[in-house]
Amino acid sequence: MRKQISILFFLKLLKIPVNLLLLSLTARYFGVSIEKDIWLLAFATITTLDLAIWGPINETFRTKFVFLKEKENAEYAINKTQSLLFYFICFSILGIVLIVLFNTFFAHIIAPDYNEAQLEILQKMLIYVAPALLFNQLMQIGISILNAYEIFFVAEISSFFSNILNIILLLLFVNQFGIYALAISYYISTLLLIFFILFYFYRKKIPLFNYRWNFKFDGFKMFFLFAIPFFLPYFFGQINTLLEKIFAAELGTGSVSILDFSNRVPMLLYSIVLSVVTTVVVPTLSKYYIRSERENFNSEFRKVFQLGILLIGLIIGFLVGAAPAVVDFLYDKGSISHEQLSAISEMTVLYAVALIGLFSYILFGMSLLASEKQKFYALMGMLTQVLVVLLNLFCRPILGIYTFPISIAIAHGVFAFLMSREYPFKKELRLELFKYILFILLLCLLMFCAGKYIGIGNSILKMACMGFLLCVFTLGLSVVLKIEEREVVFKAIKNKIKK
């Protein structure tokens, strides 16, 4: 599994420069502005509805598909998937129609303090982004089917090229369509990604369209019932996401944009780690649990958990030393003030630290999901989101905009610990967590000192210097603390040299 994770991680790394360029262009053209806030509010509303309705099924699909394929056969699993896909499309179209018809209602709900002109722009944006409900779902279910057949790399390669197209389209349309160019580029690049997924269905001979199509409700019902425990956590999670945007909007014009710019770099890097891990871990752990291979289950979980914590430690360490340089390089395009850039820099580090709690929460949740403890996982998920909302509500007057990353870190850390108590084979599991936390603390201390006392005016040179020092410090600490992954890297390098 480590080999698959390494390849996926490499493919994700290739996408980073493209995503950062897109982020920088967004900052250049729209900055911290009411237009950017409106785009974020509209798109967040659609994605909130999307994840609240379909998120639980998306999260549990791969696990259920693997169960059906292992216990029954591939044809049976495909038959049920056809039913799921048909009703996905039907209900998504219904959702789009409702948003278009009641756009005024939605606009007043998510931005009650906006004036008439701002509300008019928000209503238009809601109409333009509403079809994302359907396109995003087609993309997600397609990727999940590929993953269930252990095809993990196609989506990454195709999304790399679709992101490049996204940038080209933004450059072409931004002067003519303004903020609406973001919606145009999103749709065209997403359609391209869906085309690639369908092409690989045909190329890899995945028989989704080979059998007589199942229009019955049975498949949708099966996946829906399996995912039922997750609907409440997802509902609270998406309400929390929307409330975060609404709370931030109340802090003043541009606050939503500051929040968005702050978490983009940490979440971009984290999404690479997370998507790689969850793509491979859930099907693999599910297979070992079904076969009662306890040793393999624990071994794979330990390797992935430690690798994930190590990678997140590198993200935190780099941003502790280089966050101001990263923020200046990406966002200092003349449209964002120095004070706003400083706030974005500080928030970026806080969001990076919050990744430890987020990753631990997700991975222990995946272990519960793979071992058929989805009800307990769902309960913990719901309580986590409730705690985040409460912390945001009561701490916001004290901490201001810094409340949001702090509440994420605390809530997810607490419930990750509680979920670890229900890990299926806890007695046999040996995690060297203290060693990895000590590694992160020492690395952050060294990177903080380096970032503070090494005065380089050029942001690119500063990032390069911090990247070099990160490698040096990581190598040194990995030797001193005897980090297991050090041996894996050295072995891989030796094998490459021999070839």
Side-chain angles (χ1 to χ4, degrees), residues 239-449:
I239 289 297
N240 174 37
T241 301
L242 197 55
L243 283 175
E244 182 182 276
K245 299 289 188 298
I246 294 172
F247 287 157
E250 292 176 356
L251 295 174
T253 299
S255 295
V256 179
S257 298
I258 289 175
L259 200 65
D260 179 63
F261 286 134
S262 299
N263 68 25
R264 280 300 188 93
V265 173
M267 290 303 172
L268 171 64
L269 298 173
Y270 172 65
S271 69
I272 294 172
V273 177
L274 182 63
S275 62
V276 166
V277 167
T278 55
T279 294
V280 180
V281 165
V282 176
T284 305
L285 293 185
S286 298
K287 180 174 66 178
Y288 287 143
Y289 185 79
I290 292 169
R291 298 174 181 175
S292 299
E293 297 178 12
R294 175 177 304 206
E295 220 174 283
N296 287 332
F297 189 103
N298 276 340
S299 174
E300 295 299 339
F301 179 85
R302 181 182 63 80
K303 289 175 184 177
V304 173
F305 184 84
Q306 291 176 179
L307 178 62
I309 291 294
L310 180 65
L311 292 174
I312 287 172
L314 298 182
I315 294 171
I316 297 171
F318 178 74
L319 290 175
V320 164
V326 172
V327 169
D328 286 346
F329 175 72
L330 291 176
Y331 306 135
D332 191 7
K333 309 299 179 184
S335 55
I336 304 177
S337 71
H338 178 72
E339 291 76 15
Q340 290 169 331
L341 289 171
S342 296
I344 292 171
S345 177
E346 293 167 356
M347 292 269 289
T348 296
V349 175
L350 289 176
Y351 272 114
V353 173
L355 297 182
I356 296 176
L358 273 171
F359 178 77
S360 302
Y361 166 85
I362 290 293
L363 203 60
F364 277 111
M366 293 296 99
S367 73
L368 297 179
L369 183 61
S371 56
E372 299 185 280
K373 292 185 178 180
Q374 60 264 29
K375 290 183 180 179
F376 182 77
Y377 178 30
L379 175 62
M380 292 296 99
M382 181 181 68
L383 294 176
T384 301
Q385 298 305 327
V386 170
L387 181 56
V388 171
V389 171
L390 291 175
L391 288 171
N392 286 341
L393 187 63
F394 292 110
C395 296
R396 190 164 44 98
I398 303 169
L399 300 175
I401 201 167
Y402 299 98
T403 301
F404 303 110
I406 293 172
S407 66
I408 289 173
I410 293 173
H412 287 84
V414 167
F415 284 97
F417 172 76
L418 293 177
M419 285 195 291
S420 72
R421 313 306 297 171
E422 293 295 321
Y423 179 83
F425 308 121
K426 185 173 62 175
K427 289 183 180 179
E428 296 88 350
L429 183 65
R430 296 290 181 268
L431 290 177
E432 299 178 327
L433 186 58
F434 175 76
K435 180 193 291 188
Y436 285 81
I437 294 298
L438 179 61
F439 168 84
I440 293 173
L441 290 174
L442 292 174
L443 181 64
C444 288
L445 178 62
L446 292 170
M447 291 299 293
F448 174 78
C449 293

Side-chain angles (χ1 to χ4, degrees), residues 439 473-483 486-487 490:
F439 168 84
F473 295 150
T474 299
L475 178 61
L477 290 173
S478 67
V479 172
V480 173
L481 297 175
K482 297 180 180 179
I483 298 295
R486 174 185 97 262
E487 297 297 332
F490 286 164

Side-chain angles (χ1 to χ4, degrees), residues 135-169:
F135 294 130
N136 187 57
Q137 203 49 48
L138 291 173
M139 179 179 65
Q140 291 296 333
I141 195 68
I143 291 171
S144 294
I145 293 171
L146 290 175
N147 293 162
Y149 275 88
E150 299 185 359
I151 302 170
F152 302 112
F153 311 128
V154 172
E156 301 309 322
I157 296 170
S158 57
S159 65
F160 173 77
F161 290 106
S162 68
N163 283 343
I164 292 176
L165 178 62
N166 203 342
I167 291 171
I168 295 170
L169 293 170

